[in-house]
Amino acid sequence: MGENQPQFDRWSFRLLLAAVGVAAISLLFATEWYVPPLANTSFWNALVAFTLLGIASDSAFLPVPRISHARVGSSVVFIPFLASVLLFPPPWPMVIAGTTGLVAHYVIRRKMLVRALFNTAQYMLFVGLGGLVYAGLGGQAAFNAVHLNFAAFAAMVLVFFVVNQGTVALAVSWTTDISIREAWTRIAGDSLLYDLVSSSLAIVLAFLFTRLQIVGLAVLVLPLFFVRHMYQMNLQVERVNRELLELMVKAIEARDPYTSGHSVRVSEYARQIARELGLNPKQVDQIGTAALLHDVGKIHEDFAPLLRKAGRLTPEERMLMQAHPVRSADLASTIAEFRGKVQTDIRNHHENYDGSGYPDGLTGEAIPIGARIIMVADTIDAMTTDRPYRKALSLSKALEEMAKYAGQQFDPRIVELVTKSPGIRRLLGPQRVPEPKIASMQMPSRALRPRGEAAR
């Protein structure tokens, strides 16, 4: 299965990099520089100290599992950046941000130059714009005392996060197939409250520095990295939960080499279809989870001989097989988070559009959109992989077969979307399967059940 990796050679990303870079450099030189004498060692030492603190904060970058395939991460570097705006006259906070980004991302983390330059430019941009808003609303930068204007500080925090998350969301969207809305939602995730609360540490950091100088920075290092640890724990819980689900599904599929990896692939196809339908990120996640768990009910030993059977199922065996959506939904419902939408999508993923499916005989739009998507995604994978009862079909032949049953078994709108979807083709990767002969038309695959044939 192909990966949705970022493509940094796209002209759109290069254009974004150029725009952010030009904006940052313009801000850097649009301000009249205050350059203290070299003898003012307290200023230069503070500048170096905040830069080193920024580099240390940003070097401990945490990957965001919600969009891990786009290589997005987070750090607590915004805290020293915010504090620097309270202390240093512009554009010195931009200098701190630019040096931090370049050293942390290119020298220490060894990112591609184009990625390091983008991160450096967007750091400088949100710090520069935040500083302008702070000063414009009456905020004062003072090296010897903190003169806090809460309204100006709050506006600066808002600008920091909007510009930072907005530019990163654009970069993710323009280097992958993820929409800007989904990218932004996933970047923000559930961390917005953490971010807002953590921003107050910038005030403490600036205050301690004015009172204790370098010692003040040292005093706040522990709380600063405690905040980072809280971010890390939150992200790890998300990643571990996802990995546990995938491990459980792989364990179920391990007993049948023909379905190995099936549910993970169906989940990726379902997510892609949901995105292209314009569903919101929460729905995309719910549908992806339901697709991942759509066959977990087959862990019951009753289904083992049916899954390995090479020939057609008997009527009694088909009835037994048709119980697996209900059993899968029941198993998923043991996790409180999956009750509701996820459980319903799992239960109804074998409902046919014309009402001839199971277990509830739902028709058309009465079938949950997630279940209709999973039906199509499940069929795509079943038809394009080898099964005991037939060889894999090419994607073009699979789509041709599905088009015949659009409006009967499948939602015709989803079939039409998938037929035109470049994203699905990328996920499937190179098609190495030769075109099957007309024989495939004599017996529709088990994935296609025009009147009750059960998929395995």
Side-chain angles (χ1 to χ4, degrees):
M1 181 171 61
E3 293 183 347
N4 192 13
Q5 293 293 347
Q7 300 175 34
F8 296 107
D9 58 346
R10 287 185 177 179
W11 68 267
S12 53
F13 176 75
R14 302 289 176 143
L15 183 61
L16 176 64
L17 172 58
V20 173
V22 168
I25 293 172
S26 299
L27 274 177
L28 186 64
F29 291 102
T31 307
E32 184 178 350
W33 286 64
Y34 163 71
V35 182
L38 292 177
N40 188 351
T41 55
S42 60
F43 179 91
W44 297 111
N45 288 341
L47 194 69
V48 172
F50 267 85
T51 302
L52 292 176
L53 181 60
I55 293 170
S57 301
D58 208 31
S59 297
F61 219 56
L62 302 172
V64 177
R66 293 178 290 270
I67 45 176
S68 57
H69 58 281
R71 301 176 186 174
V72 174
S74 67
S75 74
V76 294
V77 72
F78 64 91
I79 296 176
F81 283 175
L82 286 166
S84 70
V85 175
L86 300 179
L87 296 171
F88 298 94
W92 290 110
M94 292 183 68
V95 174
I96 293 172
T99 306
T100 294
L102 199 58
V103 173
H105 291 271
Y106 187 64
V107 178
I108 296 178
R109 301 190 62 232
R110 298 184 179 279
K111 286 187 175 181
M112 296 168 53
L113 180 59
V114 66
R115 294 185 68 200
L117 289 175
F118 173 77
N119 286 328
T120 300
Q122 61 103 354
Y123 280 5
M124 294 176 67
L125 182 61
F126 74 69
V127 169
L129 289 175
L132 281 178
V133 170
Y134 179 72
L137 292 177
Q140 298 180 25
F143 191 66
N144 297 318
V146 176
H147 303 287
L148 186 62
N149 180 321
F150 282 101
F153 180 79
M156 176 174 63
V157 171
L158 180 62
V159 170
F160 264 43
F161 288 119
V162 168
V163 176
N164 170 240
Q165 295 178 358
T167 52
V168 174
L170 281 171
V172 170
S173 177
W174 289 356
T175 56
T176 67
D177 297 319
I178 299 176
S179 69
I180 294 174
R181 181 181 68 165
E182 181 179 357
W184 201 326
T185 302
R186 293 188 184 283
I187 290 167
D190 300 323
S191 64
L192 182 60
L193 181 61
Y194 287 102
D195 294 340
L196 294 176
V197 172
S198 301
S199 297
S200 62
L201 285 177
I203 302 173
V204 180
L205 178 59
F207 178 81
L208 287 176
F209 180 78
T210 59
R211 293 291 184 270
L212 304 174
Q213 299 298 304
I214 303 300
V215 176
L217 295 184
V219 168
L220 202 65
V221 164
L222 186 60
L224 188 64
F225 283 91
F226 174 76
V227 171
R228 179 198 174 275
H229 179 69
M230 293 301 295
Y231 274 81
Q232 185 178 29
M233 293 296 293
N234 185 46
L235 295 174
Q236 280 182 340
V237 167
E238 289 185 47
R239 185 177 67 249
V240 168
N241 286 343
R242 176 72 183 184
E243 289 174 349
L244 284 174
L245 286 179
E246 292 188 3
L247 178 62
M248 178 182 68
V249 170
K250 288 177 181 177
I252 295 170
E253 294 179 346
R255 60 184 181 178
D256 183 4
Y258 285 96
T259 60
S260 179
H262 166 71
S263 294
V264 174
R265 293 192 299 270
V266 171
S267 180
E268 288 299 317
Y269 301 155
R271 284 177 180 275
Q272 184 64 31
I273 295 169
R275 289 188 187 110
E276 295 188 21
L277 282 173
L279 303 184
N280 66 57
K282 183 177 181 180
Q283 286 179 292
V284 172
D285 282 342
Q286 289 174 335
I287 292 168
T289 300
L292 182 67
L293 301 177
H294 76 284
D295 278 344
V296 293
K298 292 179 181 178
I299 194 173
H300 292 284
E301 191 59 32
D302 298 350
F303 299 109
L306 308 185
L307 295 172
R308 295 191 178 96
K309 186 174 180 180
R312 282 185 174 274
L313 302 180
T314 66
E316 293 76 16
E317 289 171 334
R318 281 202 301 271
M319 288 185 64
L320 176 58
M321 182 60 73
Q322 289 175 5
H324 86 267
V326 175
R327 293 202 181 184
S328 297
D330 289 344
L331 275 177
S333 69
T334 59
I335 300 176
E337 185 180 350
F338 297 157
R339 293 169 193 160
K341 294 283 188 183
V342 173
Q343 180 184 3
T344 303
D345 286 345
I346 294 172
R347 178 183 177 89
N348 297 127
H349 78 273
H350 275 297
E351 300 287 358
N352 289 341
Y353 199 74
D354 64 1
S356 61
Y358 56 89
D360 301 318
L362 302 180
T363 304
E365 299 295 317
I367 305 170
I369 183 63
R372 282 178 271 152
I373 289 172
I374 295 170
M375 161 73 85
V376 172
D378 188 18
T379 301
I380 290 172
D381 188 68
M383 296 183 74
T384 57
T385 53
D386 288 334
R387 291 300 170 97
Y389 43 84
R390 54 130 184 88
K391 289 292 186 181
L393 304 181
S394 67
L395 177 60
S396 61
K397 180 60 69 173
L399 293 175
E400 181 183 325
E401 290 280 307
M402 290 174 63
K404 292 181 179 180
Y405 297 100
Q408 299 176 44
Q409 185 174 340
F410 310 108
D411 182 335
R413 181 169 63 115
I414 297 176
V415 173
E416 182 180 4
L417 181 146
V418 169
T419 301
K420 301 175 181 178
S421 171
I424 292 295
R425 284 172 170 77
R426 274 193 291 272
L427 287 173
L428 279 163
Q431 290 289 298
R432 294 180 295 272
V433 181
E435 286 288 325
K437 303 295 183 182
I438 300 298
S440 66
M441 305 299 294
Q442 297 172 2
M443 181 184 74
S445 71
R446 303 249 173 165
L448 289 171
R449 312 168 298 287
R451 288 294 178 266
E453 180 75 7
R456 305 188 202 172

